[in-house]
Amino acid sequence: MSDLTHTQRSLHAQTSQRLARLHQLGFADRPDEEFDRFSSALARDSGVPGALAMVNAISDRQFFTGVHLPSAEELGSVAEAEALAAAVGRVMPLEHGYCPETMDRTKPLTLPDVCMKPDFAGNEVVDLVGIRVYMGVRLIDKEMEIPLMTICVVGRERRPMKDGRRMLDYIKQRGAQAQYLLDQRISALS
């Protein structure tokens, strides 16, 4: 395990516990209509043109319990929308994207231009999906005291650096809303 990054080691240490909880909640391997609607609103209200948004259940992989992909109308091309849907889907390896990194942070991660940070510019989603913007925050299972999921918005056009503060405020606000939804689901188990 020595060749794993710090983030991968942290995630790996809690994988079995997190996966069991995600299965218990029904988030490990099936879409959730409420989180799909949440993702659509998250993308729509983000101010990021052609945004993708996800509610991401993270275990030994990433599973998008909620997802919003831009329409052909938003992208200006049916072929582009179909290619994006094929590239993203509902499942992604842990090595792709920035949500695994977000799980290891106590604060949101906002990147108005992922290419400005060498650690993030080399991520496979930059080429696979064309991601240039990321904002995400983790959701905590307060009973188990572990990070369980993330919400995120990604875009394919970089934002001006001055948008960083607005992005941070937005994802924090939406993170609080998503945390409430998660807390409600956890409470319903009791």
Side-chain angles (χ1 to χ4, degrees):
M1 202 185 311
S2 62
D3 60 339
L4 297 176
T5 67
H6 168 73
T7 297
Q8 290 168 328
R9 284 192 300 273
S10 295
L11 286 173
H12 183 71
Q14 297 170 335
T15 296
S16 60
Q17 190 180 15
R18 186 179 302 108
L19 185 57
R21 185 60 144 188
L22 290 169
H23 275 292
Q24 187 181 29
L25 291 163
F27 297 149
D29 55 8
R30 59 180 195 252
D32 182 272
E33 287 182 29
E34 183 175 29
F35 282 136
D36 276 341
R37 286 190 303 274
F38 180 87
S39 296
S40 292
L42 184 64
R44 180 190 64 235
D45 299 338
S46 69
V48 175
L52 296 80
M54 293 88 165
V55 177
N56 192 351
I58 297 181
S59 57
D60 56 341
R61 65 183 183 163
Q62 299 180 75
F63 180 78
F64 304 132
T65 299
V67 67
H68 168 82
L69 299 176
S71 67
E73 198 172 277
E74 289 174 276
L75 295 174
S77 162
V78 170
E80 191 173 351
E82 289 173 350
L84 187 60
V88 175
R90 288 259 182 194
V91 178
M92 203 171 265
L94 284 177
E95 299 78 35
H96 292 193
Y98 309 104
C99 284
E101 177 74 26
T102 300
M103 287 284 283
D104 202 38
R105 296 171 169 260
T106 57
K107 295 181 180 180
L109 175 62
T110 57
L111 302 166
D113 184 353
V114 300
C115 293
M116 295 300 290
K117 291 205 171 239
D119 291 357
F120 295 112
N123 194 289
E124 293 187 43
V125 295
V126 173
D127 294 330
L128 180 69
V129 182
I131 291 186
R132 289 297 296 271
V133 173
Y134 174 90
M135 59 178 129
V137 65
R138 70 184 186 171
L139 306 178
I140 304 291
D141 183 324
K142 294 174 183 173
E143 286 182 12
M144 297 182 75
E145 298 179 346
I146 61 170
L148 194 62
M149 305 169 81
T150 63
I151 65 163
C152 71
V153 175
V154 296
R156 298 169 57 182
E157 296 175 25
R158 71 181 181 87
R159 309 299 300 156
M161 288 302 182
K162 65 181 169 92
D163 283 1
R165 183 73 211 170
R166 189 199 62 77
M167 289 171 57
L168 179 63
D169 291 343
Y170 178 76
I171 203 65
K172 284 169 71 174
Q173 175 205 31
R174 288 308 181 101
Q177 292 169 347
Q179 183 67 56
Y180 176 79
L181 295 175
L182 177 61
D183 292 346
Q184 294 298 100
R185 296 290 183 91
I186 291 169
S187 292
L189 291 176
S190 304

